[in-house]
Amino acid sequence: MAEHLDRVWRVLATGLCFVVFGAGALMIRALVFPLLTVAPWPAARRQQICRDVVHFALRCFLWLMAAVGVIQYDVRNGERLRRGGLLIVANHPSLIDAIFLMALTRGADCVVKADLASNPFTRGAVRATGWIRNDCGGAAMVDDCIASLRAGSSLIIFPEGTRTEPGAPLRLQRGAANVAVRGGFDLTPVVIHCEPPTLTKGGKWYRVPPRRPRFVIDVHPDIEVTRWVPDGLEAVQAVRRLTHSLSDYFSREIRRERA
């Protein structure tokens, strides 16, 4: 009986969190971002403040999700994300992975799906923060990512491009490796683990797992690109080699976390 009541509560609490997220996003879009738009700051400064607004709002949202019992989470070595100019790469098992990373990384830029720019709940944030959309073309997107990092922003990329299908192997795209190789940036890998799985690709929000899911967000030490890519390789070969190495790395670390 207690388990049934707990599950019913988590369904209701999950719905509440979705409502709060949507209402909060609309409120910030309608009230906060317009005020910041007319403030007498340079465009780059205004954009950075908008990113800070999102950062603190998402920190509050994570607190809410944990407080009402929807999730529990553990952040390991989170201080590594408090530096600037990081190329952050992470696996993507759940819908809320980006929320974790943006809540942990102040002022972060992020590569986001193009359809978020037309979603009524997220388009305000996408436009105000200047996050990089993934529909601007491969070369143009890489150039935008490199420019963002060289300007001192941390950049969050999910190399898979979408959430991992439950039980399927990782399939990484080459965007993150292109940025690292062509821009000469080290990588800051973040391994995200959720047990039991929740909010997975194709899953419904109301199908909560049998017990409260626990997220582990483990920020690993930086990896120099030259560790996996020998000198002298052409850029195309280096990108292919780095993508393969990243796939092996994340697959290995996910298995280790599950063990």
Side-chain angles (χ1 to χ4, degrees), residues 12-26:
L12 295 175
T14 301
L16 170 67
C17 288
F18 271 89
V19 170
V20 170
F21 181 89
L26 291 176

Side-chain angles (χ1 to χ4, degrees), residues 101-116:
L101 293 184
M102 284 189 279
L104 293 169
T105 313
R106 182 171 178 176
D109 200 352
C110 187
V111 176
V112 299
K113 289 185 176 181
D115 57 7
L116 293 181

